[in-house]
Amino acid sequence: MTVKLKRICVFTGSREGSRAVYREAARNLGETLSGRGIGVVYGGGHIGLMGVLADAALEGGGEVIGVIPQGIVDLEVAHEGVTELRIVKTMHERKAQMADLSDGFIVLPGGLGTLEEMMEIISWVYLRFISKPIGLLNVEGYFDPLLSFFRHAAGEGFMPESYDKLFTVGENSDLLISGMEGYSPPDGALVRGFDTI
Ligand code: AMP
């Protein structure tokens, strides 16, 4: 079965990172999404990789929806040129709207905010609050330490061994999106104590 991805929510840094490869990956993802006719939902800022991604998608003629809390409109330089800018009250409202508007999620490199958003969405899929594909764009192994921590947590008995069914990991945006289209999120009820996803 193919998941129809009309819009993808992208979580990524409000900084650009210290190497050009991150900027290039954000630009490439924006171009790939607009090229495939997939809209972008993101945090609405014009700084860091968020801004690079939004600009690239817009230049490619794609739809870009930004969702930003009033309190950080100035801090993250709300993007004036997006298709739609939604100004909300709280971070919780931001994340809820971003999730509702999207058919899937891609995580690019980023910092605390990106990691927080990613963990929340992975745990929502795990707990069956949503059933949408998640892709980690592992630019030059950026997420490797986190993936090895997940293995550690599973090995120590705090996560099911099959945790890797919760998301797809890839280094190429186009292949990652194709992988997400073919992904079946876990279904059925979670059974306490069972090591299944
Ligand atoms: P960062 O990865 O720290 O550069 O942040 C990337 C994005 O995540 C920025 O738009 C932050 O405003 C956002 N962010 C940070 N913390 C949270 C949070 N708790 N909930 C929602 N978004 C957040």
Side-chain angles (χ1 to χ4, degrees):
M1 209 186 77
T2 306
V3 183
K4 174 78 190 130
L5 300 170
K6 196 165 161 273
R7 292 197 199 106
I8 288 185
C9 173
V10 180
F11 298 132
T12 190
S14 57
R15 299 170 186 231
E16 289 191 6
S18 51
R19 291 188 296 127
V21 69
Y22 299 119
R23 213 188 140 79
E24 284 153 20
R27 167 149 286 282
N28 179 266
L29 178 62
E31 287 167 357
T32 304
L33 288 168
S34 60
R36 292 176 72 131
I38 301 173
V40 171
V41 177
Y42 85 115
H46 207 167
I47 51 170
L49 294 189
M50 291 200 289
V52 174
L53 167 95
D55 285 342
L58 289 165
E59 279 164 31
E63 175 198 55
V64 178
I65 303 178
V67 188
I68 192 164
Q70 181 66 60
I72 58 173
V73 160
D74 292 335
L75 186 70
E76 297 191 353
V77 194
H79 197 310
E80 303 287 343
V82 291
T83 317
E84 185 185 344
L85 187 67
R86 296 188 172 203
I87 299 186
V88 296
K89 289 208 178 73
T90 66
M91 290 297 220
H92 286 118
E93 226 181 300
R94 178 196 231 182
K95 286 188 289 190
Q97 286 208 18
M98 288 167 82
D100 287 347
L101 285 165
S102 312
D103 306 301
F105 305 85
I106 290 183
V107 192
L108 269 172
L112 284 176
T114 304
L115 295 172
E116 194 271 346
E117 291 167 321
M118 174 187 74
M119 291 300 198
E120 181 173 80
I121 219 72
I122 294 177
S123 62
W124 284 1
V125 170
Y126 174 58
L127 294 170
R128 316 296 200 256
F129 282 92
I130 57 169
S131 175
K132 299 179 182 179
I134 302 169
L136 270 54
L137 195 60
N138 198 14
V139 183
E140 293 207 354
Y142 180 75
F143 290 112
D144 285 354
L146 184 72
L147 296 172
S148 88
F149 178 76
F150 284 164
R151 267 193 300 280
H152 169 68
E156 293 297 310
F158 287 103
M159 273 167 43
E161 287 291 344
S162 50
Y163 69 87
D164 56 351
K165 287 191 199 150
L166 295 170
F167 50 81
T168 306
V169 184
E171 291 200 30
N172 170 291
S173 358
D174 209 39
L175 293 176
L176 183 70
I177 295 166
S178 299
M180 289 167 66
E181 282 172 343
Y183 174 79
S184 1
D187 53 11
L190 261 188
V191 183
R192 190 170 179 179
F194 278 69
D195 192 26
T196 55
I197 291 290

